[in-house]
Amino acid sequence: LGTSYWKTLFLRQHLNLCIMIKQILLLTITIACWIEPVSACTSAVISGKITPDGRPLLWKNRDTDFLQNSVKYFSGERYPFIAIVNSVEDDPTDVWIGTNSAGFSVMNTQSYNLVDIKPGEERGEANGRVMRRALEICATVEDFRHFLDTITKPSMIEANFGVIDAEGGAAMFEVDYYKYVMFDANEPKDAPCGYIARTNFSFSGKVNEGAGYVRFMQEDKVLLPASATRQITPQWIFNELSRSFANPLLGIDLKTGEFNRPKTTGWFVDQDFIARGSTASSVVVQGVKPGEKPEFTTMWTILGYPPTGVAMPVWLKGADKNLPKLLVRDETEKVSLLGNWSVILAGDVFSYGQGMGSNRYMNWEKLYNTEKNGYMQLLAPIEENVFQRTQSLLKTWRESGSIDIKSMQSFYNVMDDFISTKYAELFEL
């Protein structure tokens, strides 16, 4: 064979290799464009100075691979506590937001710009177990600061921790392996509008790295005017933040009706909304005013995808014996009933499954539509009813000076039955 043959063969093979490399690069870029951190939580610490009733608030939308969450009671070394855990775990070592008998509450969002992860390290490996330990031993924001000062280094923490206490304390700590920066929600220099919002980057970390910048834009956009008019309540947070479908970078809000039939197909891409397909729970801990008993601290809890879930209140008092049946883990199925119903309905929303990245498409019509029979629209009056009944009960307890365990258990039973009946009627669940 002549030289020209081998030259031609070499050129063909080289061209085929180049084409293959180009295809791999394009595929890699495409995948990278779709992938975001799964632990992409959104949160806020809100000073009692700007809430209508003077009580601080701690909020977290939790995004995770573990979509089945539940509420669990822990006896604790020093303080008993209740917290959100992964339902699959029989003896959870990690918790993801919770409150204890001293009125101390803590949550986190994973940060992605504080630490350069080394090979073999898990990002934020200690975040969950650190919160469990803090709930066992901390009573105040200052206790938590001391806890961070004395914890073994490197701590394996990379997180934004939000905390509130029964003395009116409210703060955010940006924590890496060796140090932290504290932001006090009660101090104008740290929080000029009385709140601190965080997603998945830290202000003390590397600039423009991390994740969740668009979600942060939306969160701050909504909180800023609300802080000035004292609108921020647990119910307001669930409606305006936990179930937000606005993207400020794109300048859209799906709730306007401009993205429903007949103007569109009703399908949309789940990209940078606060409510995401990976959201497994949303919790607002409503603290107490200074001088009130810590037992009045209320952990408002949505398990599962917030647009297909309903908020229920839980209290630590008596939690060793009784919690709402809909929120605790069923020991046979290893899921919470209410969380599981929400996950099932969310599967109907994210039902497209052809090819890579197809799970990012959401059937917006299923959640919200002009006929007003979307899941979110049907569940709204149920949650409104829960809030109205709870506020009436809390008013009675506060006037009497303590929580009555018998009336609390009766209330849990009524709410369990009421919500179960509604999900059965509406969705045959």
Side-chain angles (χ1 to χ4, degrees), residues 126-135 144 147 151 157 161:
N127 294 352
R129 66 174 179 264
V130 161
M131 287 190 287
R132 172 172 174 165
R133 184 59 178 161
L135 286 165
F144 186 70
F147 173 58
I151 199 169
I157 297 169
F161 289 113

Side-chain angles (χ1 to χ4, degrees), residues 36-42 62-65 96 109-112 123 199-200 211 215 276 278:
E36 283 187 296
V38 174
S39 298
C41 309
T42 310
R62 184 191 180 207
D63 289 88
T64 174
D65 283 328
W96 303 106
T109 67
Q110 173 68 56
S111 181
Y112 291 90
R123 190 177 288 277
T199 53
N200 303 107
R215 281 181 287 115
R276 296 154 52 90
S278 57

Side-chain angles (χ1 to χ4, degrees), residues 409-423:
Q409 186 54 52
S410 175
F411 178 76
Y412 283 162
N413 292 338
V414 169
M415 288 296 98
D416 281 335
D417 291 343
F418 169 66
I419 294 171
S420 297
T421 300
K422 291 298 182 182
Y423 269 85

Side-chain angles (χ1 to χ4, degrees), residues 343-355:
V343 169
I344 290 170
L345 294 179
D348 200 23
V349 175
F350 294 89
S351 59
Y352 180 62
Q354 289 183 303

Side-chain angles (χ1 to χ4, degrees), residues 85-107:
V85 298
N86 297 327
S87 295
V88 70
E89 297 174 18
D90 295 325
D91 184 19
T93 56
D94 299 338
V95 304
W96 303 106
I97 180 170
T99 186
N100 70 18
S101 60
F104 172 82
S105 307
V106 62
M107 68 83 202

Side-chain angles (χ1 to χ4, degrees), residues 199-252:
T199 53
N200 303 107
F201 66 95
S202 299
F203 281 74
S204 59
K206 294 180 180 178
V207 177
N208 291 332
E209 294 190 18
Y213 285 88
V214 176
R215 281 181 287 115
F216 175 81
M217 290 178 204
Q218 178 60 24
E219 182 184 11
D220 196 52
K221 177 182 176 181
V222 174
L223 283 169
L224 184 59
S227 67
T229 52
R230 296 184 180 272
Q231 296 181 62
I232 305 174
T233 65
Q235 190 172 14
W236 181 92
I237 288 174
F238 288 141
N239 289 334
E240 301 300 323
L241 291 174
S242 301
R243 301 183 179 104
S244 171
F245 287 94
N247 183 313
L249 191 64
L250 298 177
I252 62 171

Side-chain angles (χ1 to χ4, degrees), residues 133-209:
R133 184 59 178 161
L135 286 165
E136 286 191 300
I137 64 172
C138 295
T140 65
V141 172
E142 279 304 310
D143 285 350
F144 186 70
R145 186 211 287 256
H146 178 69
F147 173 58
L148 293 178
D149 285 335
T150 55
I151 199 169
T152 302
K153 308 296 190 305
S155 66
M156 309 309 289
I157 297 169
E158 185 182 23
N160 304 312
F161 289 113
V163 292
I164 61 173
D165 63 33
E167 297 176 2
M172 190 76 75
F173 292 80
E174 297 183 350
V175 188
D176 66 23
Y177 285 8
Y178 296 96
K179 63 186 184 304
Y180 63 84
V181 177
M182 175 183 171
F183 299 84
D184 192 335
N186 292 313
E187 287 292 333
K189 65 179 179 62
D190 292 342
C193 297
Y195 68 86
I196 301 170
R198 289 293 184 272
T199 53
N200 303 107
F201 66 95
S202 299
F203 281 74
S204 59
K206 294 180 180 178
V207 177
N208 291 332
E209 294 190 18

